[in-house]
Amino acid sequence: MPNSSGYRAVVSARNLTKRFGDFTAVDGISFEIPAGESFGLLGPNGAGKSTIMRMLGGVSRRTSGELEVMGLDPERQGPEVRAHLGVVPQQDNLDEELRVRDNLIIYGRYFGLPMSYLRPKSAELLEFAQLGDKAGARIGELSGGMKRRLTIARSLINDPGILLLDEPTTGLDPQARHVLWDRLFRLKERGTTLVLTTHYMDEAEQLCDRLIVVDRGRIMAGGSPAELIRAHSSREVLELRFGAGRNASAAGALAGLGERIEVLPDRILVYADDGEAVLGQAVARGLEPATSLVRRSSLEDVFLRLTGRSLID
Amino acid sequence: MTERSGDARPQRPAPAPLRPPSAAASAARARRWGTWYVAEHKLRGMRGYLGVIIAYSIGSPLMYLFAMGVGLASLVDSTSGARAFGGVTYLQFIVPALLVSTAVMAASEEFSYPVMSGFKWRRTYYGPLASPISPQQICQGHALAVAVRLLAQSVAYQAIVIAFGATGTRGWASPLVAVLAGLAFGLPMMAYAASIREDRGQFALVQRFVVVPLFLFSGTFFPLSTLPWFLQWIGWASPVWHATELGRVLGYGHVEPAWLSGLHLAYLLLLAGAGLLAARRTYARRLEA
Ligand SMILES: Nc1ncnc2c1ncn2[C@@H]1O[C@H](COP(=O)(O)OP(=O)(O)O)[C@@H](O)[C@H]1O
Ligand SMILES: [Mg+2]
């Protein structure tokens, strides 16, 4: 549906709310996603990300608010909405009784797709997921990363316009994550709209054009990763470690340096536009950190600033 | 320099990108055929344990038939004579009963752990749930696949007992009754299984205290009327008894009033129908929480 600024939103949520009993998991969330965008929901465990994703697919009933996906109401026109979607759930649910290729083909049948389409399409998708040589393998023989790639291949069987990815790389090793990110980049280049949830700030920075930071079912902030960092953090961060028990007293001595100081259990973060300069000032005050590191601000810092907590506990 | 052969060859046109039918067409097909797609999936999965299915649903009743119908029968037929079993041999008497009991036992398996597995252990229901398929279709598809299995095993059993002359060919419709019995017991069981969140051995209890008593006290091995009156209610409530009696009418012309046959059929249909409705609702509630 075209909105005031003229673009076509493929997803639009207004005051989306979900309660389980008297617990509010999603608390009045509003956002719009234009076609072709890569949109992220960044937040810690329990923030309500998966619940939002399930409402998008019409497999969880909203308590109140409005929701449109491809101009349709997912609750009333679930099959029509889901025919547009590819879904990569948080937990893999591949069928272990079927071989790798059959997982794609059988899944494709659910979209009413004919075998004449599914046979070549499954081969194409297995190549895309770098599983071409595993077509006849059992699911149990695949590594975690391969299963995740197969789940992504499966979600693409109907050539969806919108791909919902719920924590696509949680639990994978760094190598496997990079392979997966690369595949998602390619989809994005082809114009697929990506909606992904994550509690990894590096993933959000890598993949998302725009994101909302969600905590306890509410939107804390929204924008592109760069905008969020600019709005909610300094350019650089100085990380200082003084060793067990000495952080608190060191923090006192650092008072007034940089724009803001966060004392974490294991380290002190000093937010400043020039980290090196602040480090020089700290040393001039006679402080001797065990280690020091200057880095650019990240979404983790944004989250810490907005909620006072870190993303991963 | 020699010319590379590849350069001379005309370029093959790039294959047209594979495009599926429109999303609207997908959704329309799923609305119409979804139950069948789910059943197709489940039946493919069953191929993985086909050997177990054959042993369990054809081998096992034949073993009973041999032990009871041949071994025990020589004793029973010579002492009480055919009168006790309505004018037929003991073997003829238990052939329809084992057909029905086996279907009910297979149903009690297929509608217990596999249901739990779909929701919880393997989460196989959540795959189709993300496609245009509805929770109700997931429920019905599972049931349909089991019905197909029950029909296949019942037809195979019936063909074997006919081939060995243990019953006449007039009982050709008995497999349908067996499928109905399986669903009459199985669909309420499915609704119950779908409501279980934690496995605390409930299925083993059902097996021991519901399925086995139904097997023993439903006129399977002896007429219900030989039981003391305070145990006969088990038979009246039991889909196994109603279906077995129908099977006997179909199989060897056991005589009973037509209204009673009608009652058997109505009772089985009622249980199956109510079970399906309850199961559909439980699936929808749980999958669309
Ligand atoms: N079916 C449910 N019943 C009750 N509470 C639920 C249910 N699903 C999720 N929740 C609760 O809602 C909150 C948000 O869950 P979820 O959306 O899974 O968060 P996230 O994906 O961000 O980790 C959590 O506190 C979770 O326990
Ligand atoms: Mg989640």
Side-chain angles (χ1 to χ4, degrees):
Chain A
M1 126 206 87
N3 75 349
S4 51
S5 46
Y7 68 77
R8 215 183 117 78
V10 291
V11 177
S12 105
R14 238 181 325 195
N15 281 321
L16 189 58
T17 301
K18 175 74 183 184
R19 277 192 276 278
F20 295 107
D22 44 11
F23 172 74
T24 306
V26 177
D27 194 359
I29 281 193
S30 304
F31 60 88
E32 285 200 348
I33 308 175
E37 189 177 70
S38 181
F39 183 84
L41 297 120
L42 176 70
N45 273 330
K49 307 181 295 296
S50 296
T51 305
I52 296 172
M53 294 295 247
R54 291 195 299 120
M55 287 192 283
L56 291 184
V59 294
S60 176
R61 302 193 164 274
R62 57 185 184 268
T63 308
S64 63
E66 285 159 50
L67 183 61
E68 276 189 10
V69 177
M70 300 300 288
L72 306 169
D73 177 346
E75 224 164 87
R76 296 218 324 270
Q77 290 149 302
E80 286 71 20
V81 166
R82 290 193 293 276
H84 285 285
L85 301 181
V87 178
V88 176
Q90 185 168 351
Q91 271 177 286
D92 284 326
N93 53 35
L94 296 164
D95 189 333
E96 306 196 353
E97 284 170 356
L98 301 177
R99 307 272 169 161
V100 165
R101 185 202 291 107
D102 290 343
N103 260 280
L104 299 188
I105 289 179
I106 280 293
Y107 198 70
R109 299 285 296 149
Y110 286 130
F111 291 83
L113 301 171
M115 290 304 278
S116 58
Y117 165 84
L118 289 172
R119 264 190 228 101
K121 185 69 179 182
S122 58
E124 176 194 308
L125 288 173
L126 287 177
E127 281 310 318
F128 174 76
Q130 294 166 301
L131 293 167
D133 54 340
K134 297 278 180 196
R138 293 184 179 283
I139 300 304
E141 295 164 24
L142 303 184
S143 69
M146 288 175 179
K147 280 188 195 164
R148 219 56 189 139
R149 295 206 303 274
L150 180 58
T151 302
I152 291 178
R154 190 182 72 171
S155 74
L156 296 172
I157 197 81
N158 58 325
D159 209 11
I162 307 173
L163 189 57
L164 306 182
L165 300 137
D166 197 354
E167 308 215 4
T169 67
T170 297
L172 300 187
D173 60 61
Q175 162 75 20
R177 296 177 74 201
H178 281 280
V179 174
L180 222 124
W181 286 348
D182 169 65
R183 299 292 113 173
L184 296 180
F185 264 127
R186 289 179 196 215
L187 290 173
K188 184 165 144 46
E189 279 169 3
R190 288 192 210 161
T192 307
T193 305
L194 304 184
V195 184
L196 70 108
T197 78
T198 183
H199 60 247
Y200 295 124
M201 48 98 189
D202 53 345
E203 185 158 276
E205 276 168 26
Q206 289 266 344
L207 293 176
C208 299
D209 301 324
R210 212 160 51 88
L211 55 93
I212 51 178
V213 179
V214 185
D215 188 37
R216 296 185 177 134
R218 297 224 176 109
I219 296 183
M220 309 301 291
S224 71
E227 282 167 1
L228 284 168
I229 292 168
R230 220 177 304 128
H232 301 283
S233 191
S234 55
R235 206 168 68 88
E236 293 188 339
V237 189
L238 170 63
E239 291 198 7
L240 298 170
R241 290 170 201 264
F242 291 91
R246 295 181 46 216
N247 282 336
S249 60
L254 286 166
L257 292 186
E259 295 168 14
R260 194 165 60 87
I261 295 179
E262 288 278 355
V263 184
L264 302 184
D266 61 331
R267 61 196 195 275
I268 297 175
L269 306 178
V270 185
Y271 291 91
D273 282 332
D274 185 346
E276 287 295 343
V278 173
L279 179 59
Q281 291 163 355
V283 172
R285 289 188 183 184
L287 288 166
E288 292 172 1
T291 65
S292 64
L293 165 78
V294 176
R295 60 169 175 81
R296 299 183 73 86
S297 269
S298 72
L299 289 172
E300 178 79 43
D301 301 300
V302 172
F303 190 80
L304 189 62
R305 175 67 188 269
L306 293 172
T307 68
R309 290 176 294 122
S310 23
L311 270 169
I312 303 172
D313 310 307
Chain B
M1 244 181 80
T2 56
E3 204 184 82
R4 281 186 296 139
S5 59
D7 295 344
R9 235 186 270 155
Q11 283 245 294
R12 248 198 299 163
L18 277 166
R19 292 268 170 225
S22 75
S26 263
R29 291 189 64 100
R31 276 191 191 272
R32 190 173 180 129
W33 300 109
T35 299
W36 295 91
Y37 297 149
V38 177
E40 177 189 350
H41 182 170
K42 177 124 187 77
L43 286 168
R44 275 200 190 221
M46 282 184 194
R47 286 204 309 215
Y49 56 102
L50 195 60
V52 177
I53 292 183
I54 291 174
Y56 191 81
S57 22
I58 301 169
S60 156
L62 291 181
M63 197 175 69
Y64 268 102
L65 265 192
F66 189 75
M68 308 280 176
V70 181
L72 187 62
S74 58
L75 202 65
V76 172
D77 289 339
S78 64
T79 53
S80 29
R83 255 172 309 121
F85 300 101
V88 293
T89 64
Y90 189 59
L91 182 63
Q92 281 178 307
F93 179 76
I94 62 170
V95 159
L98 284 171
L99 171 67
V100 166
S101 297
T102 308
V104 168
M105 283 195 210
S108 79
E109 292 284 328
E110 293 281 10
F111 288 122
S112 55
Y113 291 101
V115 172
M116 243 348 232
S117 184
F119 283 110
K120 195 173 158 101
W121 297 323
R122 293 181 178 199
R123 300 174 59 80
T124 41
Y125 289 153
Y126 290 88
L129 188 66
S131 79
I133 303 295
S134 72
Q136 288 83 357
Q137 288 173 324
I138 292 174
C139 172
Q140 290 163 188
H142 185 136
L144 177 60
V146 176
V148 170
R149 174 201 155 158
L150 295 180
L151 184 63
Q153 73 177 53
S154 303
V155 166
Y157 168 94
Q158 195 68 11
I160 292 171
V161 292
I162 289 175
F164 281 90
T167 188
T169 49
R170 54 174 293 171
W172 62 270
S174 317
L176 293 176
V177 173
V179 173
L180 184 56
L183 297 178
F185 177 81
L187 293 174
M189 171 88 196
M190 183 190 212
Y192 170 63
S195 73
I196 296 179
R197 303 266 163 176
E198 298 294 331
D199 175 29
R200 296 193 205 88
Q202 295 96 323
F203 295 137
L205 284 181
V206 169
Q207 202 65 33
R208 246 161 255 168
F209 295 105
V210 181
V211 178
V212 171
L214 286 189
F215 180 53
L216 295 177
F217 301 114
S218 292
T220 313
F221 296 113
F222 42 84
L224 193 61
S225 55
T226 56
L227 276 180
W229 60 270
F230 58 88
L231 281 181
Q232 289 191 10
W233 64 269
I234 301 181
W236 300 330
S238 162
V240 178
W241 181 67
H242 290 279
T244 298
E245 291 295 288
L246 265 186
R248 286 180 176 137
V249 171
L250 293 170
Y252 56 79
H254 165 65
V255 183
E256 68 175 19
W259 64 264
L260 186 55
S261 298
L263 187 71
H264 295 319
L265 191 62
Y267 184 70
L268 295 173
L269 288 170
L270 181 76
L271 277 185
L276 183 62
L277 282 182
R280 279 169 46 112
R281 275 182 51 183
T282 316
Y283 271 58
R285 288 229 182 101
R286 185 153 178 190
L287 292 173
E288 289 185 335

